[in-house]
Amino acid sequence: MLEWLRSRRSVRTFSAEPVAKDVLERILEGAISAPSNTNRQPWRFTVVRAAAMRAQIVEAVSRKTAEIKEIVARSHHAAEYGDYGDFFHEPLAAAQVIVIPQYREYPDLIANLIASGGGDRTQFTTASSMQAELCSTSMAIMTLLLQAHAEGLGACMMAGPIVAKAEIQALLGIAEPWRMVGAIAIGHPAGDSPVRGRKPMDRVVHWIEEDNR
Ligand SMILES: Cc1cc2nc3c(=O)[nH]c(=O)nc-3n(C[C@H](O)[C@H](O)[C@H](O)COP(=O)(O)O)c2cc1C
């Protein structure tokens, strides 16, 4: 399992081969198998296969990215930003499928129960303080990526397209209480995807053992 997890990459270049619908259905099955807060399953996924709609999404992201680039060009950070914005739309443009994951928030049950008992809900940290629905949807995105990997497809989770959040939500009819969480580019991989290193375990894991209390 560990070897297989390590073999997953964010894939940003794809061939023109379409992705079969039954494969996509399995990928979405993978997504909705994720755990969620009180099993609320606070997620939804819009799967864009139609080329014309994909093109409109790419166009919206490119336009917003260009706007940002123009503004940044006037700042002293222009060189640092460089072509970074291209990572916001290029994988989408190459993808055969774009999935837009969405989540919605629910009332914070425990906080409301505290309030109904006369308590001060601000004195307690409950599910909303950890954005439990967003966490659940992130898990669904990960299981989607893993199932895509298992199917031999390439995929890339992307925050970049959020620059065109309003435009994409309007194009796809996504309205409150639903909120888009980035975009996922999917397709048959073309070319090599770089291996991104990981921070060493001792920088990110803190052990509390019996003998170092
Ligand atoms: C929340 C999130 C947002 C990301 N946004 C982008 C993005 O906008 N464009 C992109 O090319 N990759 C994006 N990535 C992919 C990361 O760059 C990638 O996961 C990271 O570099 C590690 O590489 P690996 O997934 O191949 O191991 C994103 C990943 C996550 C989890």
Side-chain angles (χ1 to χ4, degrees), residues 30 41 43 49 69 90 116-117 128 147 159 165 178-179 211:
Q41 304 166 57
W43 48 58
R49 302 178 74 207
K69 196 171 180 176
E90 280 182 358
S116 72
S128 60
Q147 185 61 31
K165 183 181 181 188
W178 295 100
R179 297 172 194 175
D211 53 6

Side-chain angles (χ1 to χ4, degrees), residues 8-10 12 87-88 91 156-161 194 196 198:
R8 185 207 53 81
R9 305 265 120 77
S10 286
R12 299 177 177 84
F87 276 111
F88 296 180
C156 185
M157 169 60 188
M158 302 172 67
R196 305 279 177 184
R198 290 298 188 264

